[in-house]
Amino acid sequence: MPTTTSQFLNGVPELLVLRLLRDKEMYGYELVEAIRAASNDNLSFAEGVIYPVLHSLERDGALSTRRQTVNGRSRVYYSVTPTGKDRFNDLLAHWQQLQSTIATIVKAPHHA
Amino acid sequence: MPTTTSQFLNGVPELLVLRLLRDKEMYGYELVEAIRAASNDNLSFAEGVIYPVLHSLERDGALSTRRQTVNGRSRVYYSVTPTGKDRFNDLLAHWQQLQSTIATIVKAPHHA
DNA sequence: GCATTATACCTAGAGTTAATAGGTAATAGA
DNA sequence: TCTATTACCTATTAACTCTAGGTATAATGC
């Protein structure tokens, strides 16, 4: 019973989190907005989705954190570790593989 | 709390089932093999995944069934109803939208 | 003839993930 | 002052997938 990702599906929030944090460190609340913005409002994961993802990625050593107080509000900045970069590459390869497999099947003229 | 598909993710087995059955009617066991074959072994959903999907699609009126005994073994052939065609189109549009959104984000040079 | 494999159906339970719905606290703005 | 925004968080529910079974017949191998 591995703690790892499901065999095929999902993992989209995780993928996006790693992708955006790879560009620059961000704090959770900022990330939620960033995903919405980067997707032109097509995708919107609530805080209740993103925070648990951040925590589990940190537990796995894929993210490192830095705490900072700005305007009296405490922020937790996340950045991607080398482990996290590997994880992202794996997830991306996996996603692209799935995506291309599905595209092929869907577009095929006819199936025996 | 709708019984419908999750807002974003999953639904891949359902999508493939509808896609393959759109080409020709099949029975469950055949479908399991067909998905494996159509994906060049990239995807393989066990019977325990496919049968429940078939049943729920039938419950929703997306599939109709026909029973036939061949070589002493009973088969349940499924075919796509008009409702099922609509469902497939929705699922596909949804999938493509998701896929293209993710592709855009992943490929973007940098995120503000 | 007997045992194993393949065909064909099925369900139950576990595991993973996401979605909802909360709840705390400080600041900014009306 | 009251509300909205910022910023964090967790718990519960719901959904779906995955594993692991279980039944039964036919075909194949020994």
Side-chain angles (χ1 to χ4, degrees):
Chain A
M1 296 72 218
T3 323
T4 50
T5 311
S6 130
Q7 214 151 354
F8 296 118
L9 287 359
N10 303 351
V12 169
E14 197 174 311
L15 180 74
L16 296 183
V17 163
L18 287 168
R19 175 61 184 87
L20 294 191
L21 290 180
R22 213 193 53 177
D23 280 350
K24 80 172 218 272
E25 68 166 8
M26 288 190 224
Y27 53 98
Y29 191 85
E30 185 184 11
L31 239 188
V32 169
E33 297 305 315
I35 291 176
R36 194 200 312 276
S39 73
N40 285 314
D41 275 347
N42 283 319
L43 254 33
S44 178
F45 296 103
E47 295 169 51
V49 173
I50 297 305
Y51 283 114
V53 167
L54 289 171
H55 298 160
S56 90
L57 285 172
E58 189 194 5
R59 256 197 315 278
D60 296 350
L63 297 178
S64 63
T65 59
R66 172 174 81 76
R67 263 142 245 275
Q68 191 178 359
T69 297
V70 178
N71 293 342
R73 290 193 203 88
S74 160
R75 295 175 178 172
V76 183
Y77 281 89
Y78 292 87
S79 39
V80 182
T81 66
T83 300
K85 289 192 172 72
D86 291 348
R87 175 101 159 227
F88 171 71
N89 290 332
D90 290 350
L91 277 176
L92 179 57
H94 194 261
W95 173 261
Q96 284 172 339
Q97 155 81 326
L98 174 66
Q99 184 273 315
S100 108
T101 299
I102 291 176
T104 304
I105 295 179
V106 164
K107 286 171 201 152
H110 198 81
H111 298 90
Chain B
M1 291 72 217
T3 321
T4 49
T5 311
S6 121
Q7 213 151 356
F8 296 119
L9 287 359
N10 303 353
V12 169
E14 197 175 311
L15 180 74
L16 296 182
V17 163
L18 287 168
R19 174 61 185 87
L20 294 190
L21 290 181
R22 213 193 53 177
D23 280 351
K24 79 173 220 272
E25 68 165 8
M26 288 191 225
Y27 53 97
Y29 191 83
E30 185 184 10
L31 238 188
V32 169
E33 298 305 315
I35 290 176
R36 194 201 311 277
S39 73
N40 285 315
D41 276 347
N42 282 320
L43 252 34
S44 177
F45 297 103
E47 295 169 50
V49 174
I50 297 305
Y51 283 113
V53 167
L54 289 171
H55 299 159
S56 91
L57 284 173
E58 189 193 4
R59 256 197 315 277
D60 295 350
L63 297 178
S64 62
T65 60
R66 171 174 82 78
R67 264 142 245 274
Q68 191 178 359
T69 297
V70 178
N71 293 341
R73 289 195 205 86
S74 160
R75 295 176 178 170
V76 184
Y77 282 90
Y78 292 87
S79 39
V80 182
T81 65
T83 299
K85 290 193 171 72
D86 292 348
R87 175 98 158 230
F88 170 71
N89 289 332
D90 289 350
L91 277 176
L92 179 58
H94 193 259
W95 173 262
Q96 285 173 337
Q97 155 82 329
L98 174 66
Q99 184 273 314
S100 109
T101 298
I102 291 176
T104 304
I105 294 178
V106 165
K107 286 172 202 153
H110 198 83
H111 297 90

